[in-house]
Amino acid sequence: MTDSLVVDSLKQLIEASNSIMIVPHLNPDGDAMGASLGLNHVLKQLGKKVSVVTPTAYPVFLSWMKGTDEAVNFEEDAPLALALLNKADLLIYVDFNCLKRAGELEKEILKLDVKKAMIDHHPYPDDIADVMVSVPSCSSTCELIYHLINKMGWNQYVETNAAECFYTGIMTDTGSLSYNSSNPETYRMVAGLLEKNIDKDKIHQLVFHSNSFSRMKLLGHVLGSKLILMPEQGAAYMWLDKNELQQHDFKPGDTEGFVNYPLSIEGINVSAFFMEQDDKIKCSFRSRGSFPVNKFSELHFSGGGHRNAAGGESTSSLKESVELFITQLPIFYNEFKNDDI
Ligand code: 5GP
Ligand code: MN
């Protein structure tokens, strides 16, 4: 899965460092947080000083993971995040491959003259680190990190807490092993994590069965009143404005997974979700089959991601962003059909 030379370089970089800072992407999901916290626990076992700084808040449904209370949210406590950043002699980027995904933290990172490593599974990486571990075929960054730890001979440093974090990322990035998970190696990893005494059913329960009443009502609202189909393109889209979010007591992570629901409608293979935030519109795209939502997002919403799961953003209004989708999707769809990108 990984080149031994790259693994050796990463190992040397870690061994030569004392103070390591781990940075996941903004709006971190289960994989980004699982990878950051799991790696944090393992590196601490190795005797390193480690901190996790998230560019923005993590979802509430991940707060049970060990280490979340020590993770610093740059948006919430910039002075502490910057103090930690300035002490670090190694930065490790996890689950992203272009610096834009570090949000407002990007310009702080660019000021630093320290070693950097990247561990990620998204396609088309930018050259952002001294050591780049990029494996797009891997189910999740969590699987990739667990694989790297094993290759570095550090499996004994993976305790139950770290294993729980790694399992969370594999589970959330594969829809509980329902997609991107046909490589037997993924199950060998899961077997290894089970041997670390994780309770996988409990993790599933904690992540997927801890909805607040208001999140459930928000889901009902968006599916009931804000879901539009584009049958000719086998597409669907939904949107939520700030008012609707406020009315449903929105908490970070509450809309996670909403974009997947329309894909369970017969004949729908592309789904889009637009959400109004303070400074921008956050867009999420999902597809089934060969339709490359990452290319579509890159082209029209300054985004990217995987072929079947991508995101982006827009600085236009919510209405304009949705209209852009409605006008551009058929054009892209027709070109895609002709070229089979
Ligand atoms: P989500 O819709 O869950 O936010 O993101 C889906 C996938 O697309 C994730 O793998 C995420 O890392 C990636 N992604 C989300 N937003 C962006 C973006 O603005 N730029 C890029 N390059 N990737 C994104
Ligand atoms: Mn991921």
Side-chain angles (χ1 to χ4, degrees), residues 1-9 133 135 147-148 151:
M1 191 195 292
T2 45
D3 180 335
S4 296
L5 285 176
V6 177
V7 179
D8 287 347
S9 311
V133 188
V135 185
H147 161 87
L148 290 169
K151 268 198 124 177

Side-chain angles (χ1 to χ4, degrees), residues 116-129:
K116 288 149 193 154
M118 180 201 88
I119 308 174
D120 180 59
H121 72 133
H122 292 89
Y124 321 119
D126 282 353
D127 186 6
I128 58 171

Side-chain angles (χ1 to χ4, degrees), residues 209-326:
H209 297 188
S210 60
N211 284 307
S212 63
F213 185 49
S214 54
R215 184 204 184 245
M216 226 38 192
K217 299 281 274 187
L218 184 63
L219 175 62
H221 169 68
V222 77
L223 293 177
S225 312
K226 311 296 295 285
L227 169 61
I228 307 281
L229 301 188
M230 297 170 71
E232 272 183 50
Q233 291 79 29
Y237 62 91
M238 307 186 289
W239 70 100
L240 286 172
D241 64 30
K242 275 206 265 187
N243 251 339
E244 294 170 296
L245 293 168
Q246 260 161 25
Q247 279 161 11
H248 291 86
D249 191 24
F250 175 77
K251 301 267 183 325
D254 274 358
T255 56
E256 193 79 33
F258 282 12
V259 65
N260 294 312
Y261 284 90
L263 290 181
S264 62
I265 302 170
E266 200 179 357
I268 297 299
N269 293 312
V270 178
S271 171
F273 173 61
F274 301 87
M275 181 168 78
E276 189 177 19
Q277 295 184 326
D278 286 340
D279 52 344
K280 60 177 188 283
I281 310 301
K282 158 101 182 84
C283 320
S284 285
F285 304 101
R286 298 290 185 273
S287 67
R288 222 177 307 107
S290 54
F291 191 94
V293 280
N294 52 355
K295 299 256 183 220
F296 178 74
S297 182
E298 193 183 333
L299 204 57
H300 298 295
F301 293 94
S302 320
H306 307 279
R307 186 181 63 186
N308 297 129
E313 60 188 48
S314 159
T315 46
S316 310
S317 69
L318 180 60
K319 187 165 177 284
E320 285 165 346
S321 307
V322 173
E323 276 165 4
L324 182 68
F325 175 79
I326 298 169

